[in-house]
Amino acid sequence: MNTLYYGDCLTIMREKMHPESVDLVYLDPPFNSKRDYNAIYKDRTGRPLPDQVDAFTDTWTLDADRLRTIRDLPRLLREHGVDGHSADFLAGFLSGLVHVQTDMAAYLAYMAERLLWIKRVMKPTASIYLHCDPSASHYLKIVMDAVFGVENFRNHVTWKRTHSHNSAKRWGPISDNLLFYSNTRKYKWNRTYQEYAEGYISKNYRHKDEKGRYGLVDLTGSGTRRGESGKPWRGINPTDSGRHWAVPRDLLLMLYPDVNIEKTSVQDRLELLEEAGYVYWSKNGKPQRKRYVSEAKGVPIQDIITDIHPIGPVANERLGYPTQKPLDLLKRIIRASSNPGDVVFDPFCGCATTIEAAEALGRKWIGIDITIHAIRRVARARLQDRLHLAEGSDYIIDGVPQNWEGAHQLWKQDPYQFQKWCVELVEGFVNVKQSADDGIDGRVYFDMPGEKVLQSMALEVKGGENLSINHVRALNSVLQFENIQMAGLIALKAPGSQQAKNFQQTMALAGHLRIGEREYPKIQMLTVDEILAGANFDMPSPMGRTETRYESDLFSRAQP
């Protein structure tokens, strides 16, 4: 069944996806995540994120895990079938890059590991499109060449993503790149067309008869031939001008379905074309083929895309994601490289554009995202509102806890993913470095009148049995940090009655944050059960996301 997975795509592919199960992959992986988060915040508050948010958005830190991945790359590549020379080259390249661009080396290590598993789930006839901007595309091509093989590189597609960009000291950056690879030399490809430019029909189809408007095209091709296509027809010898007869086979098959075209001579095929009224004789006696508007399919797609425009500010499909791609772009890719019934896979599905396009074109689909917001609020709302799909019957969501038991299971399986899930449930940003940060697992940002920067509530998540009053005391000390006005504790298990009373008394000692006529407790605590029931921290409105019209409508309908 069509599935939305919540979690890291690497874990999902390892544990839940079968080898050779996917027909087409499209991915638009993150790179400059801090820039993207800032774009979301500016849309909502007019302010960028505070400086300390680096700890919560800078995924591409060259930490011990990334260095271990780079060191293990030769082994990982060989285990996934990459030849030894390519494996050694890529590992050596990343090892050298560590000393030049540490953030890029960390990012490429992250991507290399995931691309290996993506290749594993692709069928031999599958293709992959990796969408990236110029800041990383040339590095990613090196990784893709190693993983998929230089011989399976098909295109470097350029998409004109905006009309203009004002850059004072360089050419305006207005394009994105798509790296198109196949898994093997035998891959699916459907010839796909784009609409003609305005005025093309009137300019190129100037003639008219009882069948409609038509243009004239040559009946010959360049170069001479010694066979039938080089012999005269009706006194005209194409070899005199260094050419040969080029009869449109597909047109004849359509015009004469009962005739065995393959067994007819070239000259007989020309006669059949003449008989059907598809030959035009010029005044100098030169035959040309009539091509009617009804035959025109459009211009075969090219590797520079200029006819699919970025999503406008008031477009119906706009969701507020800074990196959202147009639905028509994904539809073009899916039409070209898959067939109805095939499985389309997006391991970074974000606002679910790939999923909507796949569903609209009759494909099956799998989407993965590591943020609960993307799965629960955007993708699910989009599937319901735009495609009228019902969760459970048309698709399933896997990995998102629906109750306490599910949350407990997530904590046992992956404590960090549990922590991330809890923080995002209350609209917070997670400390993606997965390291000790004075008890801070995440933050929720909010606007406070009179302050030049966004303020925050620090969050700590406890999933085990060792919840104690010391955690509350530690949060009190956290309040002394610069730009932290409030603190919140999220607990998987509720404290006992006496322990809860002690917690409340200790939290009360921290006092209240006064904003206008409102006062908010500086330290607060919520259990997972309370959050699942709809509770949230008592604080100024969180400024962590741009609410879409789809989820807004969904939430308003759900109100009693």
Side-chain angles (χ1 to χ4, degrees):
M1 180 180 284
N2 296 330
T3 305
L4 278 173
Y5 287 104
Y6 168 58
D8 187 334
C9 61
L10 182 62
T11 303
I12 301 300
M13 288 187 289
R14 280 173 172 170
E15 299 179 359
K16 298 190 176 184
M17 293 182 66
H18 298 293
E20 299 186 5
S21 59
V22 169
D23 296 282
L24 172 63
V25 181
Y26 169 87
L27 65 157
D28 184 11
F31 175 58
N32 194 340
S33 55
K34 185 173 186 291
R35 179 196 64 191
D36 295 341
Y37 279 129
N38 264 296
I40 294 174
Y41 269 72
K42 285 181 180 178
D43 284 348
R44 193 69 180 267
T45 68
R47 300 180 180 186
L49 286 173
D51 290 339
Q52 79 271 11
V53 85
D54 286 348
F56 299 89
T57 61
D58 183 13
T59 309
W60 319 126
T61 300
L62 195 60
D63 55 17
D65 288 339
R66 297 281 183 262
L67 287 170
R68 189 179 306 111
T69 299
I70 293 173
R71 186 175 63 249
D72 290 346
L73 260 182
R75 176 183 59 80
L76 292 172
L77 290 163
R78 287 180 172 86
E79 286 178 355
H80 284 79
V82 176
D83 72 84
H85 294 298
S86 296
D88 292 340
F89 169 76
L90 182 57
F93 171 69
L94 293 187
S95 296
L97 197 62
V98 164
H99 305 289
V100 181
Q101 291 195 52
T102 57
D103 58 341
M104 185 61 72
Y107 175 65
L108 295 178
Y110 170 93
M111 286 302 302
E113 193 172 15
R114 282 153 182 79
L115 285 168
L116 286 170
W117 282 90
I118 289 173
K119 179 178 174 63
R120 179 180 177 271
V121 303
M122 290 170 60
K123 295 178 181 178
T125 56
S127 298
I128 178 172
Y129 290 79
L130 194 159
H131 197 134
C132 48
D133 67 22
S135 61
S137 59
H138 47 303
Y139 293 105
L140 285 168
K141 188 177 187 305
I142 294 174
V143 178
M144 295 284 280
D145 281 346
V147 173
F148 290 94
V150 177
E151 70 279 4
N152 290 319
F153 170 68
R154 299 300 163 212
N155 280 105
H156 177 181
V157 181
T158 300
W159 171 51
K160 182 182 176 183
R161 59 176 170 78
T162 186
H163 296 295
S164 63
H165 194 285
N166 186 19
S167 294
K169 294 186 177 182
R170 60 171 178 161
W171 300 53
I174 61 171
S175 66
D176 276 1
N177 305 306
L178 291 103
L179 302 177
F180 169 30
Y181 285 74
S182 60
N183 201 14
T184 64
R185 292 183 182 273
K186 186 178 180 181
Y187 61 98
K188 294 181 181 179
W189 178 256
N190 302 312
R191 197 167 192 193
T192 306
Y193 301 85
Q194 63 191 64
E195 293 183 2
Y196 291 117
E198 186 177 350
Y200 178 89
I201 297 294
S202 59
K203 180 180 179 180
N204 293 279
Y205 292 82
R206 299 178 179 178
H207 305 274
K208 189 175 182 180
D209 62 14
E210 67 278 2
K211 293 188 184 71
R213 293 179 65 95
Y214 65 89
L216 298 175
V217 295
D218 211 325
L219 263 176
T220 61
S222 61
T224 60
R225 300 288 188 272
R226 295 184 179 181
E228 291 177 350
S229 62
K231 294 179 180 180
W233 174 63
R234 293 199 176 191
I236 299 172
N237 190 341
T239 61
D240 291 342
S241 54
R243 300 180 70 81
H244 66 278
W245 296 114
V247 188
R249 174 179 172 277
D250 291 344
L251 177 60
L252 287 174
L253 290 173
M254 180 191 72
L255 294 172
Y256 298 97
D258 297 329
V259 176
N260 190 341
I261 299 299
E262 304 300 334
K263 292 188 176 182
T264 59
S265 68
V266 171
Q267 285 65 30
D268 286 342
R269 294 179 191 179
L270 288 165
E271 289 293 342
L272 290 172
L273 204 63
E274 165 70 14
E275 181 182 322
Y278 277 77
V279 177
Y280 175 89
W281 294 92
S282 63
K283 293 180 180 179
N284 62 5
K286 178 184 177 181
Q288 292 176 283
R289 176 200 161 188
K290 295 180 182 180
R291 176 181 285 168
Y292 290 90
V293 171
S294 58
E295 299 176 53
K297 297 179 180 180
V299 180
I301 55 173
Q302 308 295 306
D303 66 3
I304 298 180
I305 302 174
T306 60
D307 63 317
I308 296 177
H309 304 301
I311 301 172
V314 295
N316 183 52
E317 66 178 280
R318 185 177 180 85
L319 297 174
Y321 267 57
T323 58
Q324 183 181 353
K325 303 304 183 292
L327 190 62
D328 285 343
L329 179 64
L330 271 300
K331 284 184 176 180
R332 180 169 295 178
I333 291 169
I334 291 170
R335 286 192 184 100
S337 293
S338 71
N339 297 322
D342 284 350
V343 177
V344 178
F345 173 42
D346 188 340
F348 301 92
C349 70
C351 56
T353 303
T354 306
I355 289 171
E356 180 175 345
E359 179 69 30
L361 294 175
R363 275 66 166 174
K364 300 172 185 176
W365 49 262
I366 298 170
I368 304 174
D369 205 273
I370 201 168
T371 63
I372 194 68
H373 170 67
I375 297 296
R376 290 188 62 190
R377 297 188 181 275
V378 181
R380 182 167 64 178
R382 186 172 192 171
L383 291 173
Q384 176 176 312
D385 288 9
R386 288 176 64 86
L387 298 175
H388 309 294
L389 300 182
E391 182 183 350
S393 56
D394 297 316
Y395 69 96
I396 60 173
I397 295 179
D398 186 290
V400 178
Q402 304 294 327
N403 48 40
W404 187 90
E405 288 75 18
H408 186 241
Q409 184 66 24
L410 178 62
W411 173 73
K412 289 196 299 182
Q413 290 177 346
D414 189 338
Y416 175 69
Q417 192 65 28
F418 167 78
Q419 169 190 306
K420 187 175 185 298
W421 172 71
C422 289
V423 171
E424 290 181 343
L425 278 180
V426 295
E427 308 299 348
F429 282 98
V430 183
N431 183 347
V432 296
K433 290 183 177 179
Q434 303 188 41
S435 60
D437 188 27
D438 298 304
I440 301 177
D441 296 320
R443 300 186 192 220
V444 184
Y445 289 90
F446 59 90
D447 193 8
M448 196 163 84
E451 296 293 337
K452 294 182 179 180
V453 297
L454 295 173
Q455 304 300 297
S456 66
M457 167 186 271
L459 301 174
E460 181 177 6
V461 179
K462 300 305 297 181
E465 304 280 353
N466 58 341
L467 183 64
S468 74
I469 195 67
N470 289 331
H471 293 110
V472 180
R473 291 169 181 160
L475 285 177
N476 194 26
S477 66
V478 164
L479 291 176
Q480 308 306 315
F481 292 171
E482 183 181 354
N483 202 39
I484 293 180
Q485 299 289 342
M486 305 174 72
L489 178 63
I490 301 175
L492 175 59
K493 295 186 177 181
S497 57
Q498 183 57 47
Q499 190 182 32
K501 183 178 180 180
N502 293 338
F503 281 14
Q504 292 297 330
Q505 290 173 346
T506 305
M507 288 189 290
L509 295 175
H512 291 73
L513 174 67
R514 186 176 182 85
I515 300 179
E517 300 298 318
R518 288 289 309 276
E519 286 191 345
Y520 304 94
K522 284 193 172 183
I523 300 181
Q524 302 173 40
M525 175 180 171
L526 287 173
T527 65
V528 166
D529 266 340
E530 289 171 331
I531 296 173
L532 288 173
N536 212 325
F537 289 110
D538 182 19
M539 61 181 297
S541 297
M543 295 294 185
R545 63 182 176 88
T546 301
E547 186 172 300
T548 72
R549 66 168 56 90
Y550 307 118
E551 60 182 280
S552 178
D553 292 344
L554 180 64
F555 297 154
S556 64
R557 288 198 301 271
Q559 297 301 314

